[in-house]
Amino acid sequence: MITVTEDRFRLAQAFTISRGSKTEARVLTVRITRDGVTGQAECVPYARYDETIDSVRAQIERLPPDITRQALQPALPPGAARNAVDCALWDLAAKLTGRRVWSLVGLPAPGPVVTAFTLSLAAPDAMQAAAAANAHRPILKLKLGTPDDLPRLVAVRTGAPGAKILVDANEGWTPEIYLALLPSLRLAGVALVEQPFPAGKDTALAELPRPIPVCADESCFDRASLAGLQGKYDAVNLKLDKTGGLTEALLTRDLALRMGFKVMVGCMVGSSLAMAPGLLLAQGADWTDLDGPLLLAEDRTHPLRYDAEGVHPPEAKLWG
């Protein structure tokens, strides 16, 4: 039996990127029960990819109740629906066998991973205050993506002079803005620039200087998308809601590494249940951005643990 429920988690404060703001995380929780045992997982339908709560729920509810992970891969396209079912099936397999998912996959036991903490797009003074409040964190990820981003960059570097900085433009720049900002990005010690141009309008990256690694997010989904990124991007941001689950994400990561890409493991704004499978993917990644629960005012029972070592692998009661 497959059940799908909508859950909402209040954010600690409004979260803003170049495309808009939100005050809550709306997610779908999938539970699959077989032989009296239930596996669970979470997905975040994303409007940028033409997904809604209703459309993703409908995709999942059309699946046969006895579907396997192998049959699931061609049954649904990469996206939130396949992610939730795939990860719920992994959790179910772990609970039925009494083994952790990493053992089933054949991976070593995971350890804690240092994650970026995301600063929402805001006025420079607000971003400087947020940076100062989080200056103890080793990595800050700035949401940018407007023609007036330089004051924001300066404000964050002022507020957190010792933190490593990643920049995410969320498709909001043009080549002219990118080139104008590049000297300041280098001066600020920015370590990564994520998706500066809209997906499908990023061919200019093949001709532009990239002294700072440029990472594909909205342009990158699964293995099939990687070939089109060569020569334009230096890194890829893998998110389970884009790859369509852990099964494809692991294969995409391995292929990306063989192709010479650096790897970032990211997330949508979701609960600890959404982040948990990503911890397996993030082992050994160049950058990790699994801070969803840190942005929430409330979380799941048995949430992930965050401390000075980073984000720790999930308890079996949560997932896997």
Side-chain angles (χ1 to χ4, degrees):
M1 180 175 66
I2 302 176
T3 61
V4 189
T5 58
E6 179 184 351
D7 291 301
R8 300 188 182 202
F9 297 92
R10 290 180 297 108
L11 302 189
Q13 58 187 32
F15 183 78
T16 302
I17 65 173
S18 62
R19 286 189 292 270
S21 300
K22 62 169 65 178
T23 58
E24 64 180 2
R26 296 182 63 194
V27 309
L28 288 176
T29 305
V30 170
R31 294 181 176 89
I32 303 177
T33 301
R34 294 174 189 170
D35 299 329
V37 176
T38 299
Q40 65 174 356
E42 175 184 315
C43 68
V44 183
Y46 203 50
R48 169 63 182 79
Y49 305 128
D50 299 320
E51 295 175 334
T52 66
I53 290 287
D54 290 339
S55 71
V56 171
R57 183 198 298 271
Q59 283 182 293
I60 297 169
E61 291 179 341
R62 285 196 292 267
L63 294 171
D66 60 348
I67 195 162
T68 64
R69 273 194 308 105
Q70 292 74 21
L72 174 66
Q73 307 309 311
L76 287 178
R82 195 175 77 188
N83 173 36
V85 178
D86 182 76
C87 291
L89 287 169
W90 276 115
D91 187 44
L92 177 65
K95 289 177 168 58
L96 286 170
T97 60
R99 298 168 59 190
R100 300 306 302 267
V101 167
W102 49 85
S103 174
L104 297 176
V105 177
L107 296 173
V113 176
V114 174
T115 180
F117 179 80
T118 303
L119 301 182
S120 180
L121 180 68
D125 58 346
M127 293 189 76
Q128 181 171 335
N134 291 281
H136 62 286
R137 302 185 188 277
I139 308 173
L140 295 179
K141 178 174 171 177
L142 280 60
K143 288 294 187 178
L144 298 178
T146 79
D148 305 310
D149 281 336
L150 180 55
R152 296 183 173 95
L153 176 64
V154 172
V156 169
R157 178 45 87 204
T158 301
K164 180 182 289 187
I165 289 181
L166 315 179
V167 163
D168 185 2
N170 280 118
E171 306 180 279
W173 289 345
T174 63
E176 292 75 20
I177 293 172
Y178 169 80
L179 285 173
L181 281 174
L182 195 52
S184 298
L185 294 170
R186 298 182 70 182
L187 185 63
V190 170
L192 186 74
V193 175
E194 197 176 339
Q195 197 71 44
F197 310 147
K201 298 181 180 179
D202 52 5
T203 54
L205 284 170
E207 306 299 330
L208 292 174
R210 301 196 305 272
I212 300 169
V214 176
C215 180
D217 182 2
E218 286 86 352
S219 293
C220 175
F221 288 85
D222 57 359
R223 284 173 291 171
S225 66
L226 294 179
L229 307 178
Q230 287 187 301
K232 297 186 294 185
Y233 292 95
D234 310 290
V236 292
N237 186 346
L238 303 182
K239 299 176 181 176
L240 300 184
D241 276 316
K242 293 191 302 172
T243 64
L246 182 62
T247 300
E248 176 62 26
L250 291 168
L251 295 169
T252 304
R253 181 194 64 183
D254 292 347
L255 179 57
L257 291 172
R258 291 197 299 271
M259 294 172 68
F261 290 108
K262 292 182 180 297
V263 169
M264 180 182 199
V265 174
C267 65
M268 308 302 186
V269 181
S271 79
S272 284
L273 182 57
M275 307 300 120
L279 259 295
L280 298 189
L281 189 66
Q283 300 297 305
D286 296 279
W287 302 276
T288 297
D289 179 24
L290 294 176
D291 65 342
L294 296 177
L295 306 176
L296 303 180
E298 53 192 351
D299 198 357
R300 302 275 181 177
T301 306
H302 311 294
L304 293 176
R305 177 162 60 95
Y306 291 79
D307 60 21
E309 293 183 283
V311 52
H312 290 255
E315 298 179 30
K317 292 178 181 178
L318 176 68
W319 183 86

